[in-house]
């Protein structure tokens, strides 16, 4: 790749330092990886970021009601106890603005911005066999090169706007929740159509309904949502967090999910029904994704799962007053938590409002978008604003939207045409010195993300430090190790009910034409952490180095 604006050891104008590493993305992953490589290892690092600021997911997702489903005290970085003690989260489930403030604080505290180029979207990354360097190009034509390339592009960052005939002709405004305008959207007095009832739609609907003249929620697949029970943290809890930073970190490292709570050892099927009901009631009152851990067999046994599913369905039926709407909201086609389980604030209650209606687009699919609204098979819904809460081309999308080529010009998109293949979700055979933070094949979206991000970034930094110490220039996985790992990913998914939710984005089912492969590793974060640590201890077993 040649360009007039080239930043590399040979031709960098003004003698700026040669790059050891390029990191794509300045969300939580990119920032922490930058800190590891630049400040711990002393490497010269350039971060390239599409957005105009740090934050990644939290930079883009400014839609109404945007909040984290992880509890705040366990959501941030845990490598620095000082950072944990100095930051005060105000609420149990922090809203987008507060998380972005935290990420800004992190970037400033560790002086990270000087190594980040904003408004720089990477369009291509090609490995040069002769120089053993990655040549990276941005959409605006700038070029960079470095020995190591690390993608920190997020798992849910490639917006999925469905192809619906007529969208271009719509005369109102439309938005995807993951590309929300910074100035916000005024719904007052407007007829709003919200498409999608995953975690995002479920968060957005109650907030949009507060000001919209009318909100129509277009539901294709109902799902199970549990109340978040969000509330400000008490002074006592804030003190607990400061005094127990190390313990909170230890807890998040010990659980399968990276959340500070483990699966209960109790089994739903071995608990008498009245006791089981009381346990579910207590979990429902407590709220949050912790509900899923009420019994140890919920995700392993369909019959056990049915007890959780029935409990949530009954709650929905009790909350929603209109029986037809309640029926549509509970006509769920997958096991509880088989698809990513949302948590909400007044989602089901929202359907009791006079200005909200549910449109069942599984029964009568959307046929087209007209100049004035949405036409389904059985009617036309006049709208001023359409909100797409239609999710993402998850995990592989952000990587495959770039032109990534490895040894001898090998195209990643070709290697992954039948689904992503990697060793440990960290590296791909044929793509030397390329690391993917929370890539497909790692626990990623099945965990409390910062925990997975820290583990990957630390592992990558340790690996690069090892290479430097040993004078090694190149690392890539062995094909056999990669194949064996992919079998483990499939086996782990088959051992749970996750693989039975055939319409889930974990399987790529939400994007037409995407191969149906269960992408994240579902064997648990704690187990995965140990596997990665053992691989390193055993001389980076399964990888091949060259000097
Ligand atoms: P999700 O979980 O992928 O949800 C997207 C929703 O949009 C889901 O209900 C989809 O129905 C629906 N959808 C997608 N395309 C269409 C079309 N063409 N017509 C009607 N409905 C459609 O994305 P979220 O943003 O809610 O959550 C993503 C993650 O972000 C979340 O898990 C958190 O980790 C944060 P479907 O189920 O495909 O039938």
């Amino acid at each position: 790749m040649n360009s007039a604006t080239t930043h590399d050891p040979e031709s960098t104008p003004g003698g700026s330092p040669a790059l050891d590493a390029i990191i794509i993305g300045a969300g939580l992953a990119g920032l922490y990886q930058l800190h590891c490589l630049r400040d711990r290892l002393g490497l010269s690092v350039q971060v390239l970021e599409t957005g105009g600021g740090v934050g990644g997911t939290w930079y883009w997702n400014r839609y109404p009601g945007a909040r984290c489903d992880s509890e705040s005290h366990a959501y941030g970085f845990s490598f620095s106890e000082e950072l944990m003690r100095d930051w005060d989260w105000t609420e149990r489930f922090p809203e987008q603005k507060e998380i972005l403030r935290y990420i800004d604080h992190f970037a400033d505290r560790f002086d990270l911005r000087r190594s980040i180029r904003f408004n720089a979207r990477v369009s291509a990354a090609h490995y040069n066999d002769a120089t053993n360097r990655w040549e990276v190009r941005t959409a605006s034509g700038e070029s960079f090169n470095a020995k190591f390339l690390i993608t920190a592009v997020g798992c849910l960052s490639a917006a999925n706007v469905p192809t619906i005939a007529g969208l271009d002709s719509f005369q109102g405004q439309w938005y995807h929740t993951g590309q929300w305008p910074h100035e916000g959207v005024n719904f007052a007095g407007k007829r709003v159509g919200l498409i999608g009832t995953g975690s995002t739609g479920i968060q957005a609907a109650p907030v949009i309904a507060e000001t919209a003249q009318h909100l129509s929620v277009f539901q294709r697949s109902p799902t199970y949502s549990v109340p978040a029970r969000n509330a400000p943290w008490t002074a006592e809890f804030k003190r607990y967090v400061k005094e127990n930073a190390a313990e909170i970190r230890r807890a998040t490292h010990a659980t399968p999910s990276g959340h500070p709570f483990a699966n209960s050892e109790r089994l739903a099927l071995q608990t008498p029904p009245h006791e089981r009901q009381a346990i579910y009631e207590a979990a429902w009152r407590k709220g949050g994704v912790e509900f899923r851990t009420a019994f140890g067999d919920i995700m392993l046994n369909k019959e056990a799962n049915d007890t959780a599913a029935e409990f949530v369905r009954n709650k929905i039926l009790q909350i929603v007053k209109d029986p037809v709407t309640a029926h549509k909201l509970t006509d769920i086609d997958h096991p509880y938590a088989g698809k990513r389980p949302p948590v909400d604030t007044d989602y089901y209650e929202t359907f009791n409002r006079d200005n909200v209606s549910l449109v069942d687009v599984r029964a009568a699919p959307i046929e087209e978008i007209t100049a004035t609204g949405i036409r389904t098979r059985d009617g036309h819904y006049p709208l001023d604003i359409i909100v797409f809460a239609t999710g993402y081309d998850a995990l592989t999308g952000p990587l495959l939207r770039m032109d990534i080529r490895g040894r001898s010009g090998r195209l990643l998109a070709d290697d992954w045409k039948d689904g992503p293949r990697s060793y440990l979700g960290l590296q791909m055979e044929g793509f030397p010195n390329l690391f993917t933070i929370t890539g497909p094949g790692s626990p990623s979206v099945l965990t409390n993300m910062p925990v997975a991000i820290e583990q990957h970034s630390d592992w990558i930094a340790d690996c690069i430090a090892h290479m430097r110490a040993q004078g090694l220039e190149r690392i890539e996985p062995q094909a056999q190790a990669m194949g064996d790992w992919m079998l483990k990913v499939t086996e782990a998914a088959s051992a749970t009910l996750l693989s039975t939710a055939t319409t889930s984005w974990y399987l790529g089912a939400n994007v037409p034409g995407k191969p149906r492969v269960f992408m994240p590793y579902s064997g648990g974060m704690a187990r995965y952490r140990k596997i990665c640590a053992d691989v390193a201890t055993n001389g980076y077993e399964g990888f091949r180095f060259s000097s």
Side-chain angles (χ1 to χ4, degrees):
M1 266 189 233
N2 296 312
S3 163
T5 356
T6 295
H7 303 258
D8 65 27
E10 290 80 34
S11 60
T12 299
S16 60
L19 293 175
D20 296 310
I22 293 169
I23 298 170
I24 309 177
L28 286 166
L31 294 178
Y32 180 57
Q33 186 71 87
L34 168 61
H35 174 60
C36 294
L37 297 184
R38 189 192 70 183
D39 303 337
R40 279 188 208 150
L41 265 52
L43 303 192
S44 125
V45 186
Q46 177 69 59
V47 177
L48 300 172
E49 163 60 47
T50 303
V54 296
T57 289
W58 300 109
Y59 176 86
W60 298 104
N61 279 264
R62 297 168 190 245
Y63 62 85
R67 257 177 216 291
C68 189
D69 289 348
S70 295
E71 297 192 23
S72 57
H73 66 293
Y75 188 70
F77 293 113
S78 70
F79 71 94
S80 158
E81 278 186 37
E82 293 74 31
L83 174 65
M84 287 175 85
R85 282 196 212 102
D86 290 353
W87 184 259
D88 264 321
W89 293 104
T90 64
E91 291 181 292
R92 182 177 176 194
F93 295 105
E95 63 170 349
Q96 175 269 339
K97 281 196 189 94
E98 185 167 8
I99 302 171
L100 196 53
R101 272 202 301 280
Y102 170 79
I103 300 174
D104 274 323
H105 167 79
F106 179 73
D108 292 336
R109 186 177 178 123
F110 292 95
D111 189 20
L112 299 176
R113 289 180 212 275
R114 65 184 161 87
S115 302
I116 306 171
R117 183 169 296 235
F118 294 106
N119 305 307
R121 185 170 68 76
V122 170
S123 52
H126 296 178
Y127 176 73
N128 183 324
D129 299 65
T131 60
N132 188 34
R133 294 181 73 82
W134 279 92
E135 300 175 350
V136 174
R137 170 168 284 198
T138 67
S140 63
E142 280 190 294
S143 293
F144 300 80
N145 79 62
K147 190 197 293 187
F148 296 102
L149 175 64
I150 297 124
T151 62
V153 290
C155 301
L156 297 158
S157 52
N160 173 40
V161 179
T163 311
I164 302 178
L167 180 57
D168 288 350
S169 70
F170 183 57
Q171 304 210 322
Q173 283 91 47
W174 67 266
Y175 308 94
H176 186 279
T177 51
Q179 296 167 341
W180 203 255
H182 286 203
E183 63 280 12
V185 175
N186 184 0
F187 294 104
K190 305 285 190 200
R191 297 161 304 174
V192 182
L194 171 68
I195 305 180
T197 53
S199 299
T200 301
I202 281 175
Q203 286 185 337
V207 185
I208 296 174
E210 279 169 18
T211 53
Q213 181 198 104
H214 189 87
L215 172 66
S216 303
V217 178
F218 292 81
Q219 172 189 271
R220 184 165 70 184
S221 303
T223 189
Y224 309 87
S225 183
V226 169
R229 310 274 183 222
N230 183 41
W233 285 130
T234 60
E236 191 190 349
F237 188 82
K238 287 184 188 171
R239 201 165 47 246
Y240 162 81
V241 171
K242 289 190 191 301
E243 288 169 3
N244 293 279
E247 172 55 23
I248 293 167
R249 174 185 162 87
R250 193 206 56 74
T252 59
H253 282 207
T255 62
S257 63
H259 290 291
F261 41 79
N263 280 350
S264 169
E265 287 178 7
R266 278 181 312 238
L267 300 181
L269 294 183
Q270 287 179 8
T271 306
H274 64 283
E275 213 178 295
R276 192 166 62 209
Q277 184 72 8
I279 289 166
Y280 280 137
E281 282 290 352
W284 182 266
R285 270 197 308 279
K286 189 171 186 197
V289 289
E290 193 173 347
F291 184 88
R292 188 178 39 184
T293 63
F295 293 99
D297 48 354
I298 289 180
M299 294 311 294
L300 300 176
N301 180 305
K302 174 71 170 59
E303 217 185 314
N305 189 283
D306 286 345
T307 65
E310 189 195 343
F311 179 89
V312 178
R313 274 203 198 93
N314 283 336
K315 286 289 182 195
I316 301 169
L317 293 172
Q318 283 162 22
I319 297 169
V320 178
K321 294 193 178 122
D322 172 48
V324 176
T325 304
H327 172 73
K328 288 177 184 164
L329 287 164
T330 50
D331 189 13
I332 306 172
D333 66 356
H334 57 273
Y336 167 72
K339 289 165 96 165
R340 166 70 156 66
V343 299
D344 71 273
T345 300
D346 294 337
Y347 177 62
Y348 295 114
E349 289 80 353
T350 295
F351 292 98
N352 294 334
R353 295 177 66 114
D354 292 339
N355 68 334
V356 176
S357 49
L358 184 68
V359 183
D360 181 354
V361 296
R362 186 164 60 187
I366 294 174
E367 290 190 331
E368 61 167 341
I369 294 178
T370 66
T372 55
I374 293 180
R375 187 184 308 286
T376 71
R377 205 168 60 199
D378 62 5
H380 184 258
Y381 298 82
L383 299 168
D384 303 305
I385 298 176
I386 300 175
V387 175
F388 288 94
T390 44
Y392 299 89
D393 183 352
L395 289 139
T396 53
L399 294 165
L400 295 182
R401 286 182 186 192
M402 297 180 286
D403 170 23
I404 298 182
R405 290 167 198 263
R407 275 192 283 112
S408 314
R410 222 164 117 174
L411 190 62
L412 184 63
D414 285 343
D415 275 25
W416 284 9
K417 67 179 185 323
D418 298 323
R421 293 177 58 74
S422 74
Y423 181 39
L424 301 168
L426 273 166
Q427 271 218 309
M428 288 80 72
E429 186 264 334
F431 297 80
N433 294 353
L434 168 62
F435 295 95
T436 50
I437 302 181
T438 64
S442 74
S444 62
V445 290
L446 300 176
T447 68
N448 179 22
M449 287 300 294
V451 174
I453 285 169
E454 275 191 337
Q455 183 266 343
H456 259 192
S457 305
D458 285 337
W459 193 96
I460 293 165
D462 289 348
C463 176
I464 292 176
H466 167 83
M467 290 174 69
R468 286 162 66 87
Q470 302 295 317
L472 303 168
E473 293 292 322
R474 207 167 15 185
I475 176 172
E476 70 177 285
Q478 295 161 12
Q480 177 73 39
M482 190 164 89
D484 292 348
W485 179 250
M486 294 322 297
L487 287 177
K488 286 207 169 67
V489 171
T490 308
E491 274 166 26
S494 308
T496 71
L497 296 173
L498 287 166
S499 56
T500 66
T502 52
T503 57
S504 113
W505 56 255
Y506 296 147
L507 274 164
N510 64 326
V511 175
K514 191 165 172 172
R516 302 282 174 103
V517 173
F518 194 88
M519 295 180 283
Y521 172 68
S522 53
M525 187 61 214
R527 182 184 302 164
Y528 174 81
R529 180 187 297 281
K530 179 159 184 340
I531 293 170
C532 292
D534 289 348
V535 162
T537 306
N538 296 333
Y540 290 90
E541 206 172 7
F543 289 96
R544 191 174 56 222
F545 291 104
S546 48
S547 39

